[in-house]
Amino acid sequence: MAKRKKAQPWDAVFDRIRVSRNPAWVCVPLATETDLYAIESQLESRLPQSYREFMKRFGPGELMSWIQLDQFSPSITGFLDVVGHTSDCRKYVEEAGNRFPNAGWFQQLVYFASSGGGDWYCWDPSAQVPPGYECPYLCLRHGHEHNPVAAGNTFWEFVTWADADVRSWRYSEPDESPPNGIEFCPSYLRDKEKPRALDVHLWLACNNHTARDLALSIRDHGRTDAFPILADALQEAGCTNADLLDSCRTGDPDIDGAWVLRVLLRDA
């Protein structure tokens, strides 16, 4: 009998997160233990446990279309990474002079996110906290960085705080209907490579239309469990398009699968 996974305090919050992304996007990969250990080594500080779990489950991206959670390492996407963001903020504080009356403390913080309004989000790895807490999380409002706003004592509490904070001003009108769940969009890496129409035609016709019939069965009868079989059929027909095959084998059937069917079937 399989051992039941022990529930974690962050599960209830993470289960409320609704991931939304363009099916034609390739997103930044989820964090691995190697990625996270590399950040810890460069920061010379342990990462909070629920932050680690979030990054392994969701990766970097945008909360509530407002708060951008940094990536793990510098990339071509233009988004900040945790180590670089922290270094830049600490340097800025050092050069800002008396704008930060407690500059020494600000230079100990780890900066992991920013908002569309220029706010900074950070945690204090040096704080002494009671058991069950990770560390204090803070919001430094743009122009008011000297007056930090408390934003939880664990990363999952920060996610809850961030959701409530954005809702407090975005959905302030009586006739506005806020979305259910906590919105999250993974960081964009690039667009998927779309195969040529002629290649698709040949793949679908190969082996007595095996790939075409599978794609139609998935679309018309909801057989999303057949996407890996469809990938095998496409590969046997000569398909080498990695984005198409990966979307079938490891993608989300409701997101990546929708892109696959649109590419293969078009107007069929």
Side-chain angles (χ1 to χ4, degrees), residues 7 25 43 53 67 83-84 152 156 165 180 184-185 197 203 206 210 228-230 233 254:
W25 287 358
L43 292 174
E53 296 303 322
I67 299 174
V83 175
W156 58 266
D165 184 61
N180 294 322
F184 179 75
C185 180
W203 301 334
C206 189
T210 299
I229 304 172
L230 175 60
D254 295 326

Side-chain angles (χ1 to χ4, degrees), residues 39-56:
I39 297 174
E40 290 178 333
S41 177
Q42 293 176 77
L43 292 174
E44 298 182 341
S45 173
R46 287 283 296 171
L47 297 173
Q49 185 60 36
S50 60
Y51 172 83
R52 294 174 64 91
E53 296 303 322
F54 182 98
M55 288 299 164
K56 289 192 291 184

Side-chain angles (χ1 to χ4, degrees), residues 187-206:
S187 290
Y188 167 89
L189 187 61
R190 61 175 176 84
D191 291 327
K192 291 178 180 175
E193 181 183 350
K194 201 172 181 180
R196 297 186 308 163
L198 176 59
D199 290 335
V200 172
H201 176 76
L202 294 174
W203 301 334
L204 295 184
C206 189

Side-chain angles (χ1 to χ4, degrees), residues 164-175:
D165 184 61
V166 174
R167 287 173 185 268
S168 70
W169 55 265
R170 177 169 287 167
Y171 305 107
S172 57
E173 298 299 325
D175 59 341

Side-chain angles (χ1 to χ4, degrees), residues 9-218:
W10 50 79
D11 287 340
V13 173
F14 290 179
D15 288 346
R16 290 174 50 214
I17 293 175
R18 295 170 51 250
V19 177
S20 174
R21 61 179 168 85
N22 188 321
W25 287 358
V26 173
C27 296
V28 174
L30 304 180
T32 64
E33 288 293 341
T34 300
D35 295 324
L36 299 171
Y37 284 136
I39 297 174
E40 290 178 333
S41 177
Q42 293 176 77
L43 292 174
E44 298 182 341
S45 173
R46 287 283 296 171
L47 297 173
Q49 185 60 36
S50 60
Y51 172 83
R52 294 174 64 91
E53 296 303 322
F54 182 98
M55 288 299 164
K56 289 192 291 184
R57 179 169 171 178
F58 300 103
E62 197 169 58
L63 283 169
M64 301 299 288
S65 302
W66 184 249
I67 299 174
Q68 183 67 47
L69 302 176
D70 297 338
Q71 298 188 27
F72 322 120
S73 58
S75 72
I76 60 172
T77 62
F79 291 116
L80 291 169
D81 66 283
V82 175
V83 175
H85 191 185
T86 297
S87 177
D88 289 347
C89 287
R90 289 176 177 178
K91 184 177 179 180
Y92 175 78
V93 168
E94 182 181 8
E95 295 174 348
N98 59 9
R99 182 176 176 186
F100 292 88
N102 198 2
W105 176 67
F106 279 97
Q107 289 177 284
Q108 295 179 18
L109 304 177
V110 173
Y111 299 82
F112 67 92
S114 55
S115 79
D119 305 325
W120 296 343
Y121 302 91
C122 52
W123 67 67
D124 182 359
S126 65
Q128 298 295 316
V129 294
Y133 288 4
E134 294 174 345
C135 56
Y137 287 77
L138 306 163
C139 169
L140 309 184
R141 303 289 190 198
H142 181 59
H144 301 275
E145 293 87 352
H146 61 284
N147 189 23
V149 177
N153 290 294
T154 62
F155 187 75
W156 58 266
E157 288 179 341
F158 167 78
V159 171
T160 302
W161 174 90
D163 175 54
D165 184 61
V166 174
R167 287 173 185 268
S168 70
W169 55 265
R170 177 169 287 167
Y171 305 107
S172 57
E173 298 299 325
D175 59 341
E176 291 182 308
S177 178
N180 294 322
I182 301 169
E183 295 178 306
F184 179 75
C185 180
S187 290
Y188 167 89
L189 187 61
R190 61 175 176 84
D191 291 327
K192 291 178 180 175
E193 181 183 350
K194 201 172 181 180
R196 297 186 308 163
L198 176 59
D199 290 335
V200 172
H201 176 76
L202 294 174
W203 301 334
L204 295 184
C206 189
N207 297 327
N208 198 28
H209 306 289
T210 299
R212 184 203 64 182
D213 292 345
L214 276 167
L216 287 171
S217 178
I218 292 170

